Amino acid sequence: MDKQTQLEIEAAAWRKTLEHFQKRTDVQNIDLMNMAGFCRNCLSKWYMGEAKERGEEIDYDQAREIVYGMPYDEFKDKFQEKASEEQMAAFNSIEWGKDTTE
């Protein structure tokens, strides 16, 4: 596979990933963090970091709007639920120093 085709496939997969996360508003970020070690906010940070490495300035709010498909505050108001004690206990039990979300 040539590099351009690979890049196009990866970009298409990224768009489908975002589309999936935007449709699955029932899946809470805390659950994503507990199960996969990353969430929509992590994707936003990664997007912002990669843009910066390429000389593009994009702030965190702009990156989150790209990932969430709407302003973050709007998403929170419409879809984000308060984390349960069980969710927070699971989150707090994870050894975060070993992940790659930064």
Side-chain angles (χ1 to χ4, degrees), residues 2 8-9 14 26 30 35 37 48 51 55-56 59-60 68 72-73 75 80 82 85-86 91 102:
D2 65 74
E8 290 170 8
I9 291 169
W14 164 257
D26 60 308
I30 188 82
M35 295 180 77
M48 184 178 64
E56 298 292 332
D59 67 29
Y60 187 42
Y68 284 88
Y72 178 64
D73 288 337
F75 181 91
Q80 188 167 306
K82 183 172 174 45
E85 289 182 26
E86 294 82 12
F91 179 82
E102 295 299 321

Coordinates of all heavy atoms in Angstrom, one line a residue, residues 2 8-9 14 26 30 35 37 48 51 55-56 59-60 68 72-73 75 80 82 85-86 91 102:
D2 N 0.6 2.2 -0.9 CA 1.4 3.4 -0.9 C 1.0 4.3 0.3 O -0.1 4.2 0.9 CB 1.3 4.1 -2.2 CG -0.1 4.6 -2.5 OD1 -0.5 5.7 -1.9 OD2 -0.9 4.0 -3.3
E8 N -5.1 8.2 3.5 CA -6.6 8.4 3.2 C -7.4 7.4 4.0 O -8.5 7.7 4.5 CB -6.8 8.2 1.7 CG -6.3 9.4 0.9 CD -6.3 9.1 -0.6 OE1 -6.8 8.1 -1.1 OE2 -5.7 10.0 -1.4
I9 N -6.9 6.1 4.1 CA -7.7 5.1 4.9 C -7.7 5.5 6.3 O -8.7 5.4 7.0 CB -7.0 3.7 4.7 CG1 -7.3 3.2 3.2 CG2 -7.5 2.7 5.7 CD1 -6.4 2.0 2.8
W14 N -10.6 7.7 11.0 CA -10.7 8.7 12.0 C -12.1 9.3 12.0 O -12.8 9.5 13.0 CB -9.6 9.7 11.9 CG -9.9 11.0 12.6 CD1 -10.3 12.2 12.1 CD2 -9.7 11.3 14.0 NE1 -10.4 13.2 13.0 CE2 -10.1 12.6 14.2 CE3 -9.4 10.5 15.1 CZ2 -10.1 13.2 15.5 CZ3 -9.3 11.1 16.3 CH2 -9.7 12.4 16.5
D26 N -25.0 8.1 24.4 CA -25.3 7.4 25.6 C -24.1 6.8 26.3 O -24.1 6.5 27.5 CB -26.3 6.2 25.2 CG -25.6 5.2 24.2 OD1 -25.2 5.7 23.2 OD2 -25.6 4.0 24.5
I30 N -16.7 8.8 31.3 CA -16.2 8.0 32.4 C -16.1 6.5 32.1 O -15.2 5.8 32.4 CB -17.0 8.3 33.7 CG1 -16.3 7.7 34.9 CG2 -18.4 7.8 33.6 CD1 -15.2 8.5 35.5
M35 N -13.0 1.7 30.7 CA -12.9 0.5 29.9 C -11.7 0.6 28.9 O -11.0 -0.4 28.7 CB -14.1 0.3 29.2 CG -15.3 0.0 30.1 SD -16.8 -0.4 29.2 CE -16.5 -2.0 28.7
G37 N -9.4 3.5 28.7 CA -8.2 4.3 29.1 C -8.1 5.6 28.3 O -7.1 6.3 28.4
M48 N -5.5 18.3 19.1 CA -4.9 19.6 19.3 C -3.4 19.4 19.3 O -2.7 20.3 18.6 CB -5.3 20.1 20.7 CG -4.9 21.5 21.0 SD -5.5 22.1 22.6 CE -4.7 20.9 23.7
A51 N -2.1 18.9 15.7 CA -2.3 20.1 14.9 C -1.1 21.1 15.2 O -0.5 21.6 14.3 CB -3.6 20.8 15.2
G55 N 2.2 23.0 13.0 CA 2.1 24.4 12.9 C 0.7 25.0 12.9 O 0.6 26.2 12.5
E56 N -0.3 24.3 13.2 CA -1.6 24.7 13.2 C -2.1 25.0 14.7 O -1.9 24.2 15.5 CB -2.6 23.7 12.6 CG -2.3 23.4 11.2 CD -2.6 24.6 10.2 OE1 -3.5 25.4 10.6 OE2 -2.0 24.7 9.2
D59 N -7.3 25.6 19.7 CA -7.3 25.5 21.1 C -8.2 24.3 21.5 O -8.8 23.6 20.7 CB -7.8 26.8 21.8 CG -9.3 27.2 21.5 OD1 -10.1 26.3 21.2 OD2 -9.6 28.4 21.5
Y60 N -8.2 24.0 22.8 CA -8.9 22.8 23.3 C -10.4 22.8 23.0 O -10.9 21.8 22.6 CB -8.6 22.7 24.8 CG -9.1 21.5 25.5 CD1 -8.9 20.2 24.9 CD2 -9.6 21.5 26.8 CE1 -9.4 19.1 25.5 CE2 -10.1 20.4 27.4 CZ -9.9 19.2 26.8 OH -10.4 18.0 27.5
Y68 N -16.6 16.3 19.5 CA -18.0 16.1 20.0 C -19.1 16.4 18.9 O -20.2 16.0 19.0 CB -18.2 17.0 21.2 CG -17.6 16.5 22.5 CD1 -16.3 16.8 22.8 CD2 -18.3 15.7 23.3 CE1 -15.7 16.3 24.0 CE2 -17.8 15.2 24.5 CZ -16.5 15.6 24.8 OH -16.0 15.1 26.0
Y72 N -18.7 21.8 23.5 CA -18.6 20.8 24.6 C -19.7 21.1 25.7 O -20.3 20.2 26.2 CB -17.2 20.9 25.3 CG -17.0 20.1 26.5 CD1 -17.1 18.7 26.4 CD2 -16.8 20.6 27.7 CE1 -17.0 17.9 27.5 CE2 -16.6 19.8 28.9 CZ -16.7 18.5 28.8 OH -16.6 17.7 29.9
D73 N -19.9 22.4 26.0 CA -20.9 22.8 27.0 C -22.3 22.3 26.5 O -23.1 21.8 27.4 CB -20.9 24.3 27.3 CG -19.7 24.7 28.1 OD1 -19.1 23.8 28.8 OD2 -19.4 25.9 28.0
F75 N -22.9 19.7 24.6 CA -22.9 18.2 24.8 C -23.1 17.8 26.2 O -23.9 17.0 26.5 CB -21.5 17.6 24.3 CG -21.5 16.1 24.4 CD1 -21.9 15.3 23.4 CD2 -21.0 15.5 25.6 CE1 -21.8 13.9 23.5 CE2 -21.0 14.1 25.7 CZ -21.4 13.3 24.7
Q80 N -24.3 14.5 29.1 CA -23.5 14.0 30.1 C -24.2 13.8 31.4 O -24.9 14.7 31.9 CB -22.3 15.0 30.3 CG -21.2 14.4 31.3 CD -20.0 15.2 31.2 OE1 -19.4 15.4 30.2 NE2 -19.5 15.7 32.4
K82 N -24.1 12.6 35.6 CA -23.2 12.6 36.8 C -22.6 11.2 37.0 O -23.4 10.2 36.9 CB -23.9 13.1 38.0 CG -23.0 13.2 39.2 CD -23.8 13.9 40.4 CE -23.0 13.9 41.7 NZ -21.7 14.2 41.7
E85 N -21.0 6.6 42.0 CA -19.9 6.2 42.9 C -19.1 5.0 42.4 O -17.9 5.0 42.5 CB -20.5 5.9 44.3 CG -21.0 7.1 45.0 CD -21.6 6.8 46.4 OE1 -21.1 5.8 47.0 OE2 -22.4 7.5 46.9
E86 N -19.8 4.1 41.8 CA -19.1 2.9 41.2 C -18.2 3.3 40.1 O -17.1 2.8 39.9 CB -20.1 1.9 40.7 CG -20.9 1.2 41.8 CD -22.1 2.1 42.3 OE1 -22.5 3.1 41.6 OE2 -22.7 1.8 43.3
F91 N -12.7 4.4 38.2 CA -11.8 5.4 37.6 C -10.6 5.7 38.6 O -9.4 5.7 38.1 CB -12.5 6.8 37.4 CG -11.7 7.8 36.8 CD1 -11.4 7.9 35.5 CD2 -11.1 8.8 37.6 CE1 -10.6 8.9 34.9 CE2 -10.4 9.8 37.1 CZ -10.1 9.9 35.8
E102 N -1.7 11.3 27.4 CA -1.2 12.7 27.5 C -0.6 13.1 26.1 O 0.0 12.3 25.4 CB -0.2 12.8 28.6 CG -0.8 12.6 29.9 CD -1.9 13.6 30.3 OE1 -1.7 14.8 30.0 OE2 -2.9 13.2 30.9

